[in-house]
Amino acid sequence: MGCIMKVLVIHGPNLNLLGKRETKIYGTLSLAQIDRRITQRAGEQGFEAEIFQSNAEGDIVTALQKAAGRVKGIVINPAAYTHTSVAIRDAIAAIDVPVVEVHLSNIFRREEFRHESLISEVAAGVISGFGAESYLLGIDAAVARSCSISLPRGSGVCPPSSCWARMTSRIGRMTVRCAARTSASAR
Ligand code: DQA
């Protein structure tokens, strides 16, 4: 059994225009450049990033539903749907996967209509205002959250190496056995 742990990153509407769109607020990095950083950060933590962008609310709902049982964590920038979408909120509430809500801008320092998020109440946490770094912090948070979920014993699921240190302090001997299994399956 493979040991690839996945984290799903969802970019909402208009984020395909990053780099050209309102650069004073959102910065000059394109979505492709941000995605490369996301892939790298996830890889450093032993995770594979699966990245999806859509301008359509229903497609985001479908992506969330399909992620259940398949990925260890989700990082989502719902963009304008943050402030309007009951459907995305309900999809997040319906799945048993930790979801980190991220925003490039600090939505609380902007227009009043952006201060309300329908998503935050069902998210594991929120990161807002650090530009592209928000996504990377989101990956770190999703990984940390998934590492805190105990390993299913005997399931053949291996923890990413970034989880080992944390697990050593929690469950000692079991970590050693998992580490041995990981290196055996890597051969
Ligand atoms: C955003 C903030 C939203 O209010 C806005 O509609 C976006 C981007 C952000 O990343 O800062 O499209 O989610």
Side-chain angles (χ1 to χ4, degrees):
M1 163 136 1
C3 291
I4 297 293
M5 308 267 263
K6 284 197 178 184
V7 59
L8 174 66
V9 179
I10 300 177
H11 302 290
N14 298 309
L15 296 173
N16 52 315
L17 301 179
L18 285 177
K20 293 181 258 184
R21 169 196 185 205
E22 299 185 88
T23 52
K24 286 210 170 80
I25 297 172
Y26 299 118
T28 54
L29 290 179
S30 67
L31 191 61
Q33 288 171 317
I34 293 174
D35 285 347
R36 276 197 287 279
R37 293 184 185 194
I38 290 170
T39 301
Q40 190 186 349
R41 178 65 70 100
E44 284 162 7
Q45 314 248 23
F47 276 67
E48 183 186 319
E50 189 179 301
I51 306 177
F52 171 75
Q53 190 276 328
S54 179
N55 294 326
E57 187 177 19
D59 290 349
I60 295 171
V61 168
T62 301
L64 286 162
Q65 289 180 4
K66 286 190 175 159
R70 215 172 50 73
V71 306
K72 291 290 169 196
I74 297 175
V75 175
I76 184 169
N77 182 348
Y81 290 138
T82 306
H83 318 295
T84 63
S85 180
V86 176
I88 292 175
R89 175 199 174 105
D90 286 353
I92 292 171
I95 59 173
D96 197 14
V97 182
V99 173
V100 182
E101 175 187 348
V102 303
H103 300 281
L104 295 143
S105 63
N106 180 348
I107 57 174
F108 303 101
R109 288 182 66 173
R110 300 185 60 194
E111 304 95 321
E112 207 162 319
F113 70 87
R114 293 186 204 274
H115 296 181
E116 192 193 357
S117 165
L118 298 189
I119 310 301
S120 303
E121 230 172 57
V122 291
V126 183
I127 298 164
S128 182
F130 300 98
E133 188 71 22
S134 290
Y135 283 101
L136 308 184
L137 294 168
I139 293 287
D140 291 348
V143 167
R145 180 51 74 95
S146 82
C147 286
S148 73
I149 294 167
S150 12
L151 272 184
R153 267 175 175 271
S155 66
V157 176
C158 306
S161 51
S162 58
C163 292
W164 295 350
R166 270 171 256 202
M167 287 176 19
T168 306
S169 56
R170 275 184 39 236
I171 44 179
R173 274 186 61 227
M174 190 179 152
T175 305
V176 175
R177 269 188 267 128
C178 278
R181 198 172 55 215
T182 301
S183 49
S185 63
R187 265 182 237 130

